Amino acid sequence: MSRRFKAAGKNDAWFALFFIAAIVVAALIPRHDDAGQTDRPAPVPAAALKE
């Protein structure tokens, strides 16, 4: 049984590095809200809709 888990900790550093890199890449991807899309008009105040 011990031979089966002999290399269990060899790739821990690489897994941690890959996980951190994935978080960094996901943070750099622009989201739809932050991208400055001007396809939709700006919100109109409720006072302007009463008239």
Side-chain angles (χ1 to χ4, degrees), residues 8-48:
K10 283 182 99 172
N11 293 324
D12 287 345
W14 288 109
F15 179 73
L17 184 65
F18 173 77
F19 190 73
I20 292 170
I23 292 173
V24 169
V25 168
L28 291 176
I29 294 174
R31 293 178 185 83
H32 183 68
D33 296 336
D34 299 336
Q37 299 284 337
T38 58
D39 297 348
R40 301 183 330 195
V44 179

